[in-house]
Amino acid sequence: MTCYIPNINLKREMLEELGIKDIEELFASIPTDIRISELAIPEGVSELELKKELENITESTKKRLVFIGAGCYDHYVPSAVKAVAQRAEFYSSYTPYQPELSQGILQALFEYQSIITELTGMDVANASMYDCSTAVAEAMRMAKRITNKSEIIVPKALHWEKKAVVKNYTDNIGMHIKELPYSLQTGETFIEELSNLITENTAAIYLENPNFFGVLESKITEVKSIIGDRIFIVGVNPLTLGLLKVPGEYCADIVVGEGQILGNSMYYGGASLGILACRKEYVRQLPGRVVGMTNDSDGRRAFCVTLQTREQHIRREHATSNICTNETLYALNALVYIALLGSNGLRDLGIKIIRSAKELVSKLNKITGIEAPLFKGYYFNEFTVKINNASEVRDSLIEKGIEFGIVLEKAFPELKDTLLCAITETHTPEDIERLVAALESVC
């Protein structure tokens, strides 16, 4: 088997350079009574499980547990992602303009775009936006350019920061935003109310699946039949797309999403990766840039920036966006991550996350004074929790090293004593037990 270990020759060269025969000789200066023969770790575990075992050996009891999402999630990033993305060929985080010098990164962006179109069921994707919020806002501006109408309908259950970004992007071009209410029983958006909000001036409808409360919209496939030729914009959690219908199957026109969860760390809340894809007929209204495949003067396959309708390259009044760059490095991480997972891996990861969420919900409901989830709709990895004195409980858990949910009451006054919580594949059964024990001590 050693012939298949790629660095075996490198190790041999290093030992020869040091003038020693093997690794044991390298450690000969360490007294034998303080040396160990091997680490007490189980065999045949995954990379994530091995990392957890090593944390248990070191300082796991001091590790802070996080059960917060709301747009930024602590998913596991395999070591191979950084190993590939940090190769010297990809060092620049900026999209290169000179194809004669940048075929590697341009091909990587082309492959990223291809994977995003396959994930979303769209025809074309750009090379990425800053984050999901800017992607949503740019999609709404696209809808205005396409339809020459100015009303947008968005769900009331939308992150307040995303609402602020949308307002900032749309106010100065005369766009008007209406809100679609949600059910206090299921947490789903009242899609039946769409007919009452739509007017002749409605440009687009934006919905998320899952929505901000983590609830899956069971009637989202009916939207296009209600709104007709108005633009249908869908916000997705990309990790659900190994299990759910892709937006292209229910006639979405533009798809946006948050790409941080695809092989990118949380980076203390940013930077991030905005996904934006659309149908082919709207490609000329797509903001940012699109990398395409072509042939060079010798007839060889080559890649170049095909569309970049920014104001620096064309007349300002014809620019589709003032965004002058994209998140190349994070798009590269996403490409490597998805390629590592593959379609089966994406599906398996989704199933694992759902099972963890079900396990957590089951244990929470056994604690007196807790109702989880508050909304009875289907959920993926995020859900609402009704708990007496939610703010005080949350603060008490922080003192115990556990971040459990965000308080919704400030943005949604009707949701008093309600937290929005999330779980990922990084949480172990032991992490859940630790949370449950802490809740039982403070509730």
Side-chain angles (χ1 to χ4, degrees):
M1 285 297 293
T2 54
C3 62
Y4 297 108
I5 299 175
N7 63 356
I8 190 68
N9 291 330
L10 178 61
K11 285 183 178 177
R12 186 181 298 114
E13 291 173 8
M14 292 172 69
L15 292 173
E16 289 175 358
E17 183 69 22
L18 292 170
I20 57 178
K21 293 184 294 185
D22 52 34
I23 294 292
E24 290 303 316
E25 190 175 346
L26 180 64
F27 299 134
S29 60
I30 302 174
T32 55
D33 56 342
I34 64 171
R35 292 165 62 182
I36 58 175
S37 58
E38 61 182 11
L39 291 174
I41 54 177
E43 295 183 355
V45 296
S46 68
E47 182 182 303
L48 173 57
E49 292 167 335
L50 175 60
K51 184 179 179 183
K52 288 286 185 180
E53 287 290 335
L54 294 175
E55 289 175 350
N56 289 335
I57 293 173
T58 54
E59 54 178 6
S60 65
T61 55
K62 299 177 183 178
K63 182 177 173 59
R64 180 169 290 274
L65 289 179
V66 178
F67 291 88
I68 296 178
C72 188
Y73 303 89
D74 184 23
H75 288 285
Y76 184 65
V77 180
S79 300
V81 172
K82 289 184 178 178
V84 174
Q86 290 181 354
R87 288 181 62 87
E89 299 94 316
F90 301 131
Y91 264 3
S92 173
S93 61
Y94 199 66
T95 302
Y97 294 102
Q98 297 82 16
E100 65 273 23
L101 297 173
S102 312
Q103 284 301 294
I105 192 65
L106 285 169
Q107 181 173 358
L109 287 173
F110 179 82
E111 302 294 353
Y112 161 81
Q113 295 169 180
S114 302
I115 281 183
I116 294 301
T117 57
E118 191 170 349
L119 267 181
T120 59
M122 293 288 100
D123 299 320
V124 59
N126 71 8
S128 69
M129 308 299 292
Y130 289 144
D131 52 29
C132 185
S133 296
T134 53
V136 172
E138 291 283 3
M140 293 179 179
R141 292 172 65 101
M142 277 183 70
K144 185 176 189 298
R145 291 192 296 271
I146 293 168
T147 64
N148 201 29
K149 297 176 181 177
S150 59
E151 280 185 359
I152 301 285
I153 299 174
V154 305
K156 181 181 179 183
L158 191 64
H159 195 299
W160 48 91
E161 292 178 355
K162 199 174 289 180
K163 281 185 182 179
V165 173
V166 167
K167 180 176 172 56
N168 189 40
Y169 269 65
T170 57
D171 261 6
N172 65 342
I173 57 173
M175 296 188 71
H176 176 59
I177 295 174
K178 295 179 177 178
E179 292 190 351
L180 194 60
Y182 65 90
S183 165
L184 286 172
Q185 283 70 49
T186 67
E188 290 192 43
T189 305
F190 271 130
I191 290 174
E192 301 86 347
E193 295 291 322
L194 267 175
S195 301
N196 299 326
L197 292 178
I198 289 174
T199 70
E200 289 296 319
N201 197 33
T202 300
I205 288 82
Y206 172 65
L207 290 176
E208 296 181 338
N209 194 34
N211 67 24
F212 175 64
F213 298 137
V215 177
L216 296 170
E217 298 283 3
S218 63
K219 298 180 180 177
I220 199 165
T221 57
E222 303 172 12
V223 172
K224 194 62 177 178
S225 64
I226 299 173
I227 68 174
D229 59 358
R230 295 167 181 86
I231 301 298
F232 183 22
I233 307 169
V234 178
V236 296
N237 174 340
L239 292 183
T240 66
L241 297 178
L243 299 171
L244 304 180
K245 281 186 175 181
V246 300
E249 291 184 36
Y250 46 89
C251 303
D253 296 296
I254 304 172
V255 179
V256 299
E258 177 53 66
Q260 175 268 321
I261 60 177
L262 300 175
N264 289 288
S265 300
M266 298 176 75
Y267 305 122
Y268 297 96
S272 191
L273 173 68
I275 293 170
L276 180 53
C278 68
R279 297 197 178 278
K280 186 178 180 180
E281 54 264 41
Y282 306 133
V283 66
R284 290 286 178 180
Q285 298 301 329
L286 195 62
R289 59 192 58 168
V290 176
V291 175
M293 185 170 69
T294 183
N295 294 318
D296 66 11
S297 57
D298 295 324
R300 297 172 301 185
R301 186 183 69 169
F303 300 89
C304 64
V305 177
T306 304
L307 292 176
Q308 44 180 340
T309 55
R310 55 189 282 199
E311 77 278 13
Q312 290 180 352
H313 297 121
I314 61 176
R315 284 182 295 178
R316 177 171 294 182
E317 64 271 22
H318 290 169
T320 57
S321 172
N322 67 346
I323 289 183
C324 298
T325 185
N326 69 296
E327 299 282 14
T328 295
L329 182 58
Y330 300 148
L332 177 61
N333 287 342
L335 170 64
V336 178
Y337 178 80
I338 298 172
L340 283 171
L341 278 181
S343 57
N344 290 335
L346 187 64
R347 178 179 175 83
D348 292 344
L349 178 58
I351 292 172
K352 183 177 183 179
I353 292 171
I354 287 180
R355 285 177 175 165
S356 295
K358 294 289 185 185
E359 181 185 356
L360 176 57
V361 164
S362 174
K363 291 185 179 298
L364 289 177
N365 278 319
K366 294 177 182 177
I367 303 173
T368 303
I370 292 183
E371 180 183 2
L374 171 64
F375 296 129
K376 303 311 176 188
Y378 296 105
Y379 56 91
F380 179 62
N381 71 318
E382 199 157 29
F383 51 87
T384 49
V385 178
K386 181 79 171 180
I387 183 169
N388 296 331
N389 303 312
S391 295
E392 290 79 0
V393 170
R394 179 179 177 276
D395 293 344
S396 298
L397 291 180
I398 290 174
E399 294 176 0
K400 296 177 180 293
I402 300 175
E403 303 274 357
F404 184 59
I406 59 173
V407 179
L408 294 177
E409 186 176 349
K410 185 175 181 181
F412 303 92
E414 66 276 20
L415 299 180
K416 182 177 172 56
D417 286 333
T418 303
L419 300 176
L420 181 64
C421 307
I423 190 169
T424 72
E425 74 282 6
T426 63
H427 294 98
T428 64
E430 291 76 20
D431 293 336
I432 294 176
E433 291 297 337
R434 183 180 160 197
L435 169 64
V436 170
L439 279 168
E440 289 175 334
S441 68
V442 299
C443 286

